[in-house]
mmCIF file of all heavy atoms in Angstrom:
data_model
loop_
_atom_site.group_PDB
_atom_site.id
_atom_site.type_symbol
_atom_site.label_atom_id
_atom_site.label_comp_id
_atom_site.label_asym_id
_atom_site.label_seq_id
_atom_site.Cartn_x
_atom_site.Cartn_y
_atom_site.Cartn_z
ATOM 1 N N ALA A 637 3.841 -21.667 -17.949
ATOM 2 C CA ALA A 637 3.750 -22.533 -19.129
ATOM 3 C C ALA A 637 2.614 -23.526 -18.923
ATOM 4 O O ALA A 637 2.451 -24.093 -17.844
ATOM 5 C CB ALA A 637 5.065 -23.273 -19.362
ATOM 6 N N MET A 638 1.847 -23.718 -19.957
ATOM 7 C CA MET A 638 0.742 -24.673 -19.939
ATOM 8 C C MET A 638 1.273 -26.017 -20.433
ATOM 9 O O MET A 638 2.006 -26.065 -21.423
ATOM 10 C CB MET A 638 -0.359 -24.155 -20.867
ATOM 11 C CG MET A 638 -1.573 -25.019 -20.965
ATOM 12 S SD MET A 638 -2.716 -24.304 -22.178
ATOM 13 C CE MET A 638 -4.212 -24.366 -21.242
ATOM 14 N N SER A 639 0.938 -27.086 -19.776
ATOM 15 C CA SER A 639 1.388 -28.398 -20.242
ATOM 16 C C SER A 639 0.653 -28.758 -21.534
ATOM 17 O O SER A 639 -0.459 -28.290 -21.793
ATOM 18 C CB SER A 639 1.143 -29.465 -19.177
ATOM 19 O OG SER A 639 -0.238 -29.756 -19.085
ATOM 20 N N LYS A 640 1.280 -29.591 -22.330
ATOM 21 C CA LYS A 640 0.630 -30.066 -23.558
ATOM 22 C C LYS A 640 -0.678 -30.775 -23.224
ATOM 23 O O LYS A 640 -1.662 -30.648 -23.944
ATOM 24 C CB LYS A 640 1.563 -31.010 -24.324
ATOM 25 C CG LYS A 640 2.751 -30.346 -24.956
ATOM 26 C CD LYS A 640 3.587 -31.387 -25.684
ATOM 27 C CE LYS A 640 4.768 -30.797 -26.401
ATOM 28 N NZ LYS A 640 5.493 -31.817 -27.172
ATOM 29 N N ASN A 641 -0.668 -31.522 -22.151
ATOM 30 C CA ASN A 641 -1.867 -32.242 -21.721
ATOM 31 C C ASN A 641 -2.996 -31.271 -21.368
ATOM 32 O O ASN A 641 -4.141 -31.457 -21.766
ATOM 33 C CB ASN A 641 -1.527 -33.148 -20.536
ATOM 34 C CG ASN A 641 -2.553 -34.222 -20.314
ATOM 35 O OD1 ASN A 641 -3.156 -34.721 -21.262
ATOM 36 N ND2 ASN A 641 -2.767 -34.588 -19.068
ATOM 37 N N ASP A 642 -2.673 -30.214 -20.624
ATOM 38 C CA ASP A 642 -3.686 -29.214 -20.281
ATOM 39 C C ASP A 642 -4.190 -28.492 -21.528
ATOM 40 O O ASP A 642 -5.379 -28.187 -21.643
ATOM 41 C CB ASP A 642 -3.133 -28.194 -19.278
ATOM 42 C CG ASP A 642 -3.003 -28.768 -17.879
ATOM 43 O OD1 ASP A 642 -3.534 -29.872 -17.615
ATOM 44 O OD2 ASP A 642 -2.363 -28.105 -17.037
ATOM 45 N N PHE A 643 -3.282 -28.217 -22.450
ATOM 46 C CA PHE A 643 -3.684 -27.586 -23.723
ATOM 47 C C PHE A 643 -4.681 -28.487 -24.457
ATOM 48 O O PHE A 643 -5.735 -28.036 -24.901
ATOM 49 C CB PHE A 643 -2.445 -27.323 -24.593
ATOM 50 C CG PHE A 643 -2.755 -26.793 -25.960
ATOM 51 C CD1 PHE A 643 -3.027 -25.448 -26.158
ATOM 52 C CD2 PHE A 643 -2.762 -27.641 -27.065
ATOM 53 C CE1 PHE A 643 -3.308 -24.949 -27.422
ATOM 54 C CE2 PHE A 643 -3.044 -27.161 -28.328
ATOM 55 C CZ PHE A 643 -3.318 -25.808 -28.510
ATOM 56 N N ALA A 644 -4.345 -29.777 -24.564
ATOM 57 C CA ALA A 644 -5.224 -30.725 -25.266
ATOM 58 C C ALA A 644 -6.599 -30.802 -24.602
ATOM 59 O O ALA A 644 -7.625 -30.814 -25.285
ATOM 60 C CB ALA A 644 -4.576 -32.101 -25.319
ATOM 61 N N HIS A 645 -6.621 -30.857 -23.277
ATOM 62 C CA HIS A 645 -7.906 -30.912 -22.564
ATOM 63 C C HIS A 645 -8.714 -29.633 -22.759
ATOM 64 O O HIS A 645 -9.935 -29.689 -22.916
ATOM 65 C CB HIS A 645 -7.689 -31.191 -21.074
ATOM 66 C CG HIS A 645 -7.359 -32.615 -20.788
ATOM 67 N ND1 HIS A 645 -8.282 -33.629 -20.860
ATOM 68 C CD2 HIS A 645 -6.185 -33.202 -20.449
ATOM 69 C CE1 HIS A 645 -7.706 -34.779 -20.569
ATOM 70 N NE2 HIS A 645 -6.430 -34.550 -20.332
ATOM 71 N N ALA A 646 -8.048 -28.485 -22.749
ATOM 72 C CA ALA A 646 -8.747 -27.209 -22.949
ATOM 73 C C ALA A 646 -9.368 -27.152 -24.345
ATOM 74 O O ALA A 646 -10.515 -26.731 -24.511
ATOM 75 C CB ALA A 646 -7.789 -26.039 -22.730
ATOM 76 N N VAL A 647 -8.618 -27.609 -25.344
ATOM 77 C CA VAL A 647 -9.133 -27.618 -26.716
ATOM 78 C C VAL A 647 -10.277 -28.616 -26.843
ATOM 79 O O VAL A 647 -11.349 -28.303 -27.374
ATOM 80 C CB VAL A 647 -8.007 -27.930 -27.730
ATOM 81 C CG1 VAL A 647 -8.576 -28.192 -29.121
ATOM 82 C CG2 VAL A 647 -6.988 -26.798 -27.770
ATOM 83 N N CYS A 648 -10.059 -29.821 -26.335
ATOM 84 C CA CYS A 648 -11.071 -30.884 -26.438
ATOM 85 C C CYS A 648 -12.369 -30.501 -25.732
ATOM 86 O O CYS A 648 -13.460 -30.768 -26.238
ATOM 87 C CB CYS A 648 -10.498 -32.174 -25.863
ATOM 88 S SG CYS A 648 -11.571 -33.602 -26.049
ATOM 89 N N ASN A 649 -12.249 -29.876 -24.584
ATOM 90 C CA ASN A 649 -13.422 -29.505 -23.796
ATOM 91 C C ASN A 649 -13.949 -28.114 -24.140
ATOM 92 O O ASN A 649 -14.893 -27.648 -23.505
ATOM 93 C CB ASN A 649 -13.108 -29.600 -22.302
ATOM 94 C CG ASN A 649 -12.840 -31.029 -21.897
ATOM 95 O OD1 ASN A 649 -13.537 -31.942 -22.303
ATOM 96 N ND2 ASN A 649 -11.801 -31.226 -21.097
ATOM 97 N N ARG A 650 -13.302 -27.465 -25.104
ATOM 98 C CA ARG A 650 -13.710 -26.134 -25.583
ATOM 99 C C ARG A 650 -13.857 -25.124 -24.455
ATOM 100 O O ARG A 650 -14.793 -24.342 -24.414
ATOM 101 C CB ARG A 650 -14.987 -26.229 -26.404
ATOM 102 C CG ARG A 650 -14.802 -27.067 -27.632
ATOM 103 C CD ARG A 650 -16.095 -27.236 -28.387
ATOM 104 N NE ARG A 650 -15.902 -28.148 -29.498
ATOM 105 C CZ ARG A 650 -15.978 -27.793 -30.768
ATOM 106 N NH1 ARG A 650 -16.263 -26.572 -31.101
ATOM 107 N NH2 ARG A 650 -15.787 -28.688 -31.705
ATOM 108 N N ARG A 651 -12.879 -25.178 -23.545
ATOM 109 C CA ARG A 651 -12.863 -24.213 -22.450
ATOM 110 C C ARG A 651 -12.383 -22.864 -22.974
ATOM 111 O O ARG A 651 -11.330 -22.789 -23.610
ATOM 112 C CB ARG A 651 -11.914 -24.672 -21.345
ATOM 113 C CG ARG A 651 -12.611 -25.582 -20.350
ATOM 114 C CD ARG A 651 -11.671 -25.936 -19.248
ATOM 115 N NE ARG A 651 -11.104 -27.213 -19.652
ATOM 116 C CZ ARG A 651 -9.994 -27.741 -19.203
ATOM 117 N NH1 ARG A 651 -9.280 -27.134 -18.322
ATOM 118 N NH2 ARG A 651 -9.566 -28.904 -19.631
ATOM 119 N N PRO A 652 -13.141 -21.797 -22.727
ATOM 120 C CA PRO A 652 -12.695 -20.480 -23.182
ATOM 121 C C PRO A 652 -11.290 -20.192 -22.663
ATOM 122 O O PRO A 652 -10.978 -20.541 -21.530
ATOM 123 C CB PRO A 652 -13.720 -19.525 -22.574
ATOM 124 C CG PRO A 652 -14.942 -20.378 -22.377
ATOM 125 C CD PRO A 652 -14.429 -21.751 -22.047
ATOM 126 N N PRO A 653 -10.445 -19.626 -23.478
ATOM 127 C CA PRO A 653 -10.661 -19.100 -24.826
ATOM 128 C C PRO A 653 -10.405 -20.125 -25.933
ATOM 129 O O PRO A 653 -10.174 -19.764 -27.078
ATOM 130 C CB PRO A 653 -9.640 -17.963 -24.892
ATOM 131 C CG PRO A 653 -8.466 -18.516 -24.136
ATOM 132 C CD PRO A 653 -9.081 -19.304 -22.995
ATOM 133 N N PHE A 654 -10.431 -21.405 -25.610
ATOM 134 C CA PHE A 654 -10.164 -22.465 -26.594
ATOM 135 C C PHE A 654 -11.456 -22.997 -27.212
ATOM 136 O O PHE A 654 -11.487 -24.101 -27.748
ATOM 137 C CB PHE A 654 -9.380 -23.607 -25.928
ATOM 138 C CG PHE A 654 -8.052 -23.167 -25.383
ATOM 139 C CD1 PHE A 654 -7.917 -22.796 -24.057
ATOM 140 C CD2 PHE A 654 -6.940 -23.097 -26.198
ATOM 141 C CE1 PHE A 654 -6.703 -22.376 -23.540
ATOM 142 C CE2 PHE A 654 -5.718 -22.672 -25.707
ATOM 143 C CZ PHE A 654 -5.602 -22.308 -24.367
ATOM 144 N N ASP A 655 -12.517 -22.214 -27.132
ATOM 145 C CA ASP A 655 -13.822 -22.664 -27.614
ATOM 146 C C ASP A 655 -14.050 -22.400 -29.099
ATOM 147 O O ASP A 655 -15.055 -22.834 -29.652
ATOM 148 C CB ASP A 655 -14.949 -22.033 -26.785
ATOM 149 C CG ASP A 655 -14.819 -20.530 -26.645
ATOM 150 O OD1 ASP A 655 -13.753 -19.965 -26.983
ATOM 151 O OD2 ASP A 655 -15.798 -19.913 -26.177
ATOM 152 N N ASN A 656 -13.115 -21.743 -29.761
ATOM 153 C CA ASN A 656 -13.273 -21.491 -31.199
ATOM 154 C C ASN A 656 -11.963 -21.732 -31.954
ATOM 155 O O ASN A 656 -11.584 -20.965 -32.834
ATOM 156 C CB ASN A 656 -13.784 -20.070 -31.440
ATOM 157 C CG ASN A 656 -12.813 -19.015 -30.932
ATOM 158 O OD1 ASN A 656 -11.872 -19.312 -30.203
ATOM 159 N ND2 ASN A 656 -13.044 -17.774 -31.322
ATOM 160 N N VAL A 657 -11.285 -22.808 -31.627
ATOM 161 C CA VAL A 657 -10.014 -23.169 -32.256
ATOM 162 C C VAL A 657 -10.258 -23.598 -33.702
ATOM 163 O O VAL A 657 -11.232 -24.280 -34.011
ATOM 164 C CB VAL A 657 -9.331 -24.298 -31.445
ATOM 165 C CG1 VAL A 657 -8.151 -24.885 -32.183
ATOM 166 C CG2 VAL A 657 -8.911 -23.785 -30.085
ATOM 167 N N ASP A 658 -9.347 -23.206 -34.580
ATOM 168 C CA ASP A 658 -9.413 -23.551 -36.002
ATOM 169 C C ASP A 658 -8.744 -24.918 -36.224
ATOM 170 O O ASP A 658 -7.545 -25.068 -35.982
ATOM 171 C CB ASP A 658 -8.690 -22.468 -36.807
ATOM 172 C CG ASP A 658 -8.606 -22.775 -38.283
ATOM 173 O OD1 ASP A 658 -9.303 -23.688 -38.768
ATOM 174 O OD2 ASP A 658 -7.828 -22.081 -38.977
ATOM 175 N N PHE A 659 -9.519 -25.876 -36.688
ATOM 176 C CA PHE A 659 -8.990 -27.226 -36.930
ATOM 177 C C PHE A 659 -8.679 -27.492 -38.399
ATOM 178 O O PHE A 659 -8.335 -28.610 -38.768
ATOM 179 C CB PHE A 659 -9.982 -28.285 -36.421
ATOM 180 C CG PHE A 659 -10.176 -28.250 -34.937
ATOM 181 C CD1 PHE A 659 -11.321 -27.709 -34.386
ATOM 182 C CD2 PHE A 659 -9.209 -28.749 -34.089
ATOM 183 C CE1 PHE A 659 -11.503 -27.667 -33.015
ATOM 184 C CE2 PHE A 659 -9.380 -28.719 -32.712
ATOM 185 C CZ PHE A 659 -10.528 -28.171 -32.174
ATOM 186 N N SER A 660 -8.782 -26.486 -39.239
ATOM 187 C CA SER A 660 -8.609 -26.703 -40.681
ATOM 188 C C SER A 660 -7.220 -27.227 -41.038
ATOM 189 O O SER A 660 -7.067 -27.929 -42.037
ATOM 190 C CB SER A 660 -8.909 -25.419 -41.453
ATOM 191 O OG SER A 660 -7.971 -24.405 -41.138
ATOM 192 N N HIS A 661 -6.205 -26.907 -40.240
ATOM 193 C CA HIS A 661 -4.843 -27.358 -40.550
ATOM 194 C C HIS A 661 -4.668 -28.868 -40.357
ATOM 195 O O HIS A 661 -3.660 -29.423 -40.787
ATOM 196 C CB HIS A 661 -3.831 -26.598 -39.694
ATOM 197 C CG HIS A 661 -3.870 -25.121 -39.905
ATOM 198 N ND1 HIS A 661 -3.546 -24.522 -41.097
ATOM 199 C CD2 HIS A 661 -4.237 -24.112 -39.070
ATOM 200 C CE1 HIS A 661 -3.681 -23.222 -40.995
ATOM 201 N NE2 HIS A 661 -4.107 -22.943 -39.774
ATOM 202 N N PHE A 662 -5.627 -29.510 -39.736
ATOM 203 C CA PHE A 662 -5.556 -30.958 -39.546
ATOM 204 C C PHE A 662 -5.991 -31.724 -40.796
ATOM 205 O O PHE A 662 -5.900 -32.945 -40.844
ATOM 206 C CB PHE A 662 -6.412 -31.384 -38.345
ATOM 207 C CG PHE A 662 -5.780 -31.061 -37.023
ATOM 208 C CD1 PHE A 662 -5.838 -29.776 -36.505
ATOM 209 C CD2 PHE A 662 -5.109 -32.030 -36.305
ATOM 210 C CE1 PHE A 662 -5.252 -29.458 -35.296
ATOM 211 C CE2 PHE A 662 -4.507 -31.728 -35.089
ATOM 212 C CZ PHE A 662 -4.576 -30.430 -34.577
ATOM 213 N N SER A 663 -6.450 -31.026 -41.816
ATOM 214 C CA SER A 663 -6.970 -31.692 -43.011
ATOM 215 C C SER A 663 -5.923 -32.574 -43.683
ATOM 216 O O SER A 663 -6.261 -33.637 -44.211
ATOM 217 C CB SER A 663 -7.533 -30.673 -44.001
ATOM 218 O OG SER A 663 -6.508 -29.807 -44.456
ATOM 219 N N LYS A 664 -4.648 -32.179 -43.668
ATOM 220 C CA LYS A 664 -3.608 -33.007 -44.300
ATOM 221 C C LYS A 664 -3.463 -34.360 -43.596
ATOM 222 O O LYS A 664 -3.153 -35.362 -44.226
ATOM 223 C CB LYS A 664 -2.276 -32.271 -44.319
ATOM 224 C CG LYS A 664 -2.205 -31.218 -45.390
ATOM 225 C CD LYS A 664 -0.777 -30.766 -45.594
ATOM 226 C CE LYS A 664 -0.706 -29.900 -46.825
ATOM 227 N NZ LYS A 664 0.673 -29.577 -47.177
ATOM 228 N N ILE A 665 -3.686 -34.379 -42.296
ATOM 229 C CA ILE A 665 -3.630 -35.648 -41.567
ATOM 230 C C ILE A 665 -4.762 -36.552 -42.046
ATOM 231 O O ILE A 665 -4.552 -37.734 -42.338
ATOM 232 C CB ILE A 665 -3.717 -35.425 -40.048
ATOM 233 C CG1 ILE A 665 -2.504 -34.639 -39.552
ATOM 234 C CG2 ILE A 665 -3.830 -36.764 -39.310
ATOM 235 C CD1 ILE A 665 -2.601 -34.199 -38.102
ATOM 236 N N PHE A 666 -5.962 -35.991 -42.175
ATOM 237 C CA PHE A 666 -7.095 -36.794 -42.611
ATOM 238 C C PHE A 666 -6.967 -37.191 -44.082
ATOM 239 O O PHE A 666 -7.392 -38.287 -44.464
ATOM 240 C CB PHE A 666 -8.413 -36.077 -42.309
ATOM 241 C CG PHE A 666 -8.709 -36.067 -40.832
ATOM 242 C CD1 PHE A 666 -8.436 -34.937 -40.066
ATOM 243 C CD2 PHE A 666 -9.199 -37.194 -40.207
ATOM 244 C CE1 PHE A 666 -8.669 -34.947 -38.701
ATOM 245 C CE2 PHE A 666 -9.439 -37.210 -38.840
ATOM 246 C CZ PHE A 666 -9.173 -36.081 -38.081
ATOM 247 N N ASP A 667 -6.355 -36.341 -44.906
ATOM 248 C CA ASP A 667 -6.084 -36.726 -46.298
ATOM 249 C C ASP A 667 -5.147 -37.928 -46.334
ATOM 250 O O ASP A 667 -5.348 -38.864 -47.115
ATOM 251 C CB ASP A 667 -5.452 -35.560 -47.070
ATOM 252 C CG ASP A 667 -6.420 -34.416 -47.325
ATOM 253 O OD1 ASP A 667 -7.652 -34.616 -47.198
ATOM 254 O OD2 ASP A 667 -5.934 -33.308 -47.645
ATOM 255 N N MET A 668 -4.127 -37.922 -45.483
ATOM 256 C CA MET A 668 -3.202 -39.047 -45.416
ATOM 257 C C MET A 668 -3.928 -40.309 -44.937
ATOM 258 O O MET A 668 -3.722 -41.398 -45.475
ATOM 259 C CB MET A 668 -2.034 -38.732 -44.490
ATOM 260 C CG MET A 668 -1.029 -39.887 -44.364
ATOM 261 S SD MET A 668 0.321 -39.540 -43.226
ATOM 262 C CE MET A 668 -0.542 -39.396 -41.674
ATOM 263 N N LEU A 669 -4.797 -40.176 -43.949
ATOM 264 C CA LEU A 669 -5.555 -41.328 -43.467
ATOM 265 C C LEU A 669 -6.457 -41.894 -44.565
ATOM 266 O O LEU A 669 -6.583 -43.119 -44.700
ATOM 267 C CB LEU A 669 -6.369 -40.957 -42.228
ATOM 268 C CG LEU A 669 -5.560 -40.629 -40.980
ATOM 269 C CD1 LEU A 669 -6.462 -40.132 -39.863
ATOM 270 C CD2 LEU A 669 -4.724 -41.813 -40.524
ATOM 271 N N ARG A 670 -7.050 -41.008 -45.374
ATOM 272 C CA ARG A 670 -7.856 -41.481 -46.516
ATOM 273 C C ARG A 670 -6.995 -42.250 -47.510
ATOM 274 O O ARG A 670 -7.404 -43.270 -48.045
ATOM 275 C CB ARG A 670 -8.531 -40.299 -47.222
ATOM 276 C CG ARG A 670 -9.810 -39.869 -46.594
ATOM 277 C CD ARG A 670 -10.535 -38.816 -47.453
ATOM 278 N NE ARG A 670 -11.270 -37.941 -46.593
ATOM 279 C CZ ARG A 670 -10.834 -36.796 -46.064
ATOM 280 N NH1 ARG A 670 -9.643 -36.353 -46.362
ATOM 281 N NH2 ARG A 670 -11.591 -36.083 -45.274
ATOM 282 N N GLU A 671 -5.792 -41.735 -47.754
ATOM 283 C CA GLU A 671 -4.878 -42.417 -48.670
ATOM 284 C C GLU A 671 -4.513 -43.800 -48.134
ATOM 285 O O GLU A 671 -4.488 -44.785 -48.877
ATOM 286 C CB GLU A 671 -3.614 -41.575 -48.867
ATOM 287 C CG GLU A 671 -2.662 -42.156 -49.891
ATOM 288 C CD GLU A 671 -1.437 -41.259 -50.102
ATOM 289 O OE1 GLU A 671 -1.558 -40.034 -50.018
ATOM 290 O OE2 GLU A 671 -0.360 -41.845 -50.350
ATOM 291 N N ILE A 672 -4.243 -43.887 -46.849
ATOM 292 C CA ILE A 672 -3.944 -45.191 -46.229
ATOM 293 C C ILE A 672 -5.145 -46.109 -46.374
ATOM 294 O O ILE A 672 -5.011 -47.283 -46.740
ATOM 295 C CB ILE A 672 -3.551 -45.019 -44.755
ATOM 296 C CG1 ILE A 672 -2.178 -44.341 -44.645
ATOM 297 C CG2 ILE A 672 -3.540 -46.349 -44.024
ATOM 298 C CD1 ILE A 672 -1.779 -43.932 -43.240
ATOM 299 N N LEU A 673 -6.326 -45.605 -46.111
ATOM 300 C CA LEU A 673 -7.545 -46.398 -46.240
ATOM 301 C C LEU A 673 -7.729 -46.898 -47.668
ATOM 302 O O LEU A 673 -8.066 -48.071 -47.890
ATOM 303 C CB LEU A 673 -8.773 -45.594 -45.787
ATOM 304 C CG LEU A 673 -10.089 -46.329 -45.770
ATOM 305 C CD1 LEU A 673 -10.037 -47.529 -44.839
ATOM 306 C CD2 LEU A 673 -11.207 -45.378 -45.343
ATOM 307 N N ASN A 674 -7.460 -46.041 -48.645
ATOM 308 C CA ASN A 674 -7.570 -46.451 -50.046
ATOM 309 C C ASN A 674 -6.536 -47.514 -50.408
ATOM 310 O O ASN A 674 -6.798 -48.398 -51.216
ATOM 311 C CB ASN A 674 -7.443 -45.240 -50.974
ATOM 312 C CG ASN A 674 -8.639 -44.335 -50.901
ATOM 313 O OD1 ASN A 674 -9.739 -44.745 -50.521
ATOM 314 N ND2 ASN A 674 -8.444 -43.072 -51.235
#
């Protein structure tokens, strides 16, 4: 099992095979942040 911390570091550092992760699902978080900002 990979720790959540190791997963986050692999994604953040784009270590293969985490070098082409799809971040599109995070858009709802940023939409909410825009709403808070507004």
